[in-house]
Amino acid sequence: MSMYCDQCQETLSNEACTDTGVCGKDAQTSNIQDLFVWELKGLAYLAEEARAEGIVDEDLRVFIAEGLFSTITNVNFDPEWFEEQIREGFERRRDLRERYEREVGPIDEAALPEAATWEAAESAAFYEKAPEVGVQTTENEDIQSLRELLTYGIKGIAAYADHAYVLGEEKDEVFAFVQRGLAATLDDELSVDDLIGLVLEAGEVGTEVMATLDEAHTSTYGHPEPTEVDIGVRDRPAILVSGHDLKDLEELLEQTEGEGVDVYTHGEMLPAHAYPAFEEYDHFVGNYGNAWWQQHEEFEAFNGPVLMTTNCLVPPNDSYAGRTYTTGVVRFPGLPHVEDRADGGQKDFSALIEHAKETEPPEEIETGTVPNGFAHNAVLDRADDIIEAIQAGDIRGFVVMGGCDGRHPEREYYTEMAESLPDDVIILTAGCAKYRYNKLDLGDIGGIPRVLDAGQCNDSYSLLKIAMELQAALGVEDINDLPIAYDIAWYEQKAVTVLLALLSQGVEGIRLGPTLPAFLSENVVELLVEEFDIKPVDSVESDREAIIEELESSPLVAPSM
């Protein structure tokens, strides 16, 4: 076994990737990421010791969060970059220890976990150490499972916190939990119950950080508005923007204005078209392609340069690798990288723009439009119409089908489910899972579209806020009494955060697919089933019948249904 990675939904045989990741990550990169995460846990442990004495290193908070973000699936495939980050971590650790000892006094070295003390000068030593610190080094499988669940939830929290931080929104208590939760995974004294408590707390913090990111997006770019997004092409050179980062998109749009270059979105950047702040850019023309896993065909056909702002990067084919640019925490060996912005400045996209001018226009792969922009503000503006339609029996209920898309053929389940749901059921979605059904003609109910797309996986808070606001407006004491069923697809670690956020708000009966996470032990699965009624997806037919039964069991649904 040259590696061990089980953090995503597509892990080999739903167990673990042990030679090469299904995502394309090789063993070298996987192992160096394991070592980096272990080091970040040690840094977090020291940061917690310092915080207890009133010492908070603000730059270290961000370093830990961005470091975790870089290890999410399909973000960073560059082992040399991780080696540099590990060395920087050593330096930050020394600085924090020196400050602690200067202001407080000596640290008891013997009381520190190895992750907070281990250091090496040569890269070869990193790779020798890495197999000793991976997830399998925890012997008790339930403790290992809960440590992984907590770590992956924290990775998602860190990603959302970093997005908000870039836009000037931050909450120290979120960064503090990231550090406290990471440090807890090194504590062998914590019991299963202790870790369960931290996992549920991660859900609460996940809700808070998603609300913070929502505020960052809407205060900067306005509340998304219902929008029909063109999926065709124009006859001009163009740049394709994928990932999730709206700040990168904003700066690129400013720098391409008047340059004769169009800008298209791809994947999770589709929802950017619904923000009022981007309406002024005439060269921001539409969305190209579908979910992340179709990059090989779609990036090939696009012809122009592609900017990957965050996950999800698929290792590129040689034919278009030279025009695939990365930025932020995203890296791949040999790909050109746009460096971070200097204080108060913008990223410099000039090389990308000049490259675009030399390329052919995109090849047309689709025509028409796709609806978008149904975040919480837009949906709740019609809350009275929705409530009236529920009470009149015109709307039977809602099915939340947000989350991630992926390559597995089993994911056709979500297309078939969307097609098979009754005409009086509305689908609420966010994330790239929507590409399984957002181009279907499913009609509307009294002018309310049957697919309400709230945006990116980063916008999943909208789905929770819609439920909570409807709960308040209808005077429902238990959120599970709403006519809302949950049939969610997951792929990477931000989806784990969203799941924990839903559980923290008391949501029960979630269907999760296409498989349950491989990192959950049998006992942890049993606990989630007993406490929250989490269940794996089954066949479309059986799940459809069960979903309809759940909706009709709501005390709010008209008896005639």
Side-chain angles (χ1 to χ4, degrees), residues 427-438:
I427 297 170
L428 298 174
T429 190
C432 62
K434 62 173 158 274
Y435 282 107
R436 289 288 171 174
Y437 45 80
N438 68 337

Side-chain angles (χ1 to χ4, degrees), residues 267-506:
E268 289 271 55
M269 292 299 289
L270 163 65
H273 292 277
Y275 285 94
F278 298 131
E279 290 179 0
E280 65 181 271
Y281 298 102
D282 293 336
H283 63 297
F284 187 38
V285 296
N287 189 73
Y288 190 88
N290 298 275
W292 62 272
W293 59 276
Q294 295 174 275
Q295 282 175 37
H296 283 167
E297 295 78 16
E298 293 170 354
F299 288 6
E300 185 77 57
F302 187 74
N303 294 326
V306 178
L307 176 65
M308 290 299 309
T309 64
T310 64
N311 60 311
C312 305
L313 173 67
V314 176
N317 290 336
D318 291 342
S319 57
Y320 66 82
R323 53 182 172 86
T324 302
Y325 291 71
T326 61
T327 192
V329 296
V330 189
R331 289 181 183 265
F332 192 91
L335 297 191
H337 186 79
V338 178
E339 297 299 333
D340 287 341
R341 52 187 68 85
D343 291 342
Q346 291 190 346
K347 291 183 179 180
D348 181 3
F349 293 111
S350 57
L352 190 70
I353 296 167
E354 292 306 310
H355 191 160
K357 292 177 181 178
E358 300 171 357
T359 60
E360 294 295 316
E363 175 186 331
E364 186 171 84
I365 58 175
E366 295 177 290
T367 59
T369 63
V370 62
N372 195 252
F374 294 94
H376 60 84
N377 203 60
V379 173
L380 293 173
D381 275 349
R382 300 198 62 176
D384 289 344
D385 294 337
I386 291 171
I387 292 170
E388 183 178 336
I390 292 171
Q391 294 172 336
D394 297 327
I395 293 178
R396 193 180 325 202
F398 304 84
V399 180
V400 174
M401 288 176 61
C404 313
D405 198 13
R407 287 168 280 227
H408 278 183
E410 291 89 340
R411 289 179 183 268
E412 279 297 315
Y413 164 98
Y414 295 100
T415 304
E416 295 169 8
M417 178 62 75
E419 292 175 321
S420 71
L421 287 171
D423 291 343
D424 56 1
V425 173
I426 290 176
I427 297 170
L428 298 174
T429 190
C432 62
K434 62 173 158 274
Y435 282 107
R436 289 288 171 174
Y437 45 80
N438 68 337
K439 295 172 184 176
L440 301 175
D441 184 11
L442 297 180
D444 64 86
I445 303 173
I448 300 170
R450 287 197 54 230
V451 176
L452 297 177
D453 181 6
Q456 302 177 343
C457 62
N458 290 11
D459 301 312
S460 296
Y461 174 73
S462 266
L463 305 182
L464 187 54
K465 186 171 178 62
I466 289 168
M468 293 188 295
E469 292 293 329
L470 287 176
Q471 179 186 4
L474 291 164
V476 176
E477 186 171 333
D478 187 343
I479 197 169
N480 297 295
D481 284 339
L482 290 171
I484 302 178
Y486 295 82
D487 197 4
I488 295 175
W490 80 284
Y491 177 77
E492 45 87 359
Q493 296 79 70
K494 287 186 287 183
V496 175
T497 304
V498 174
L499 173 65
L500 297 181
L502 290 170
L503 299 184
S504 76
Q505 300 305 306

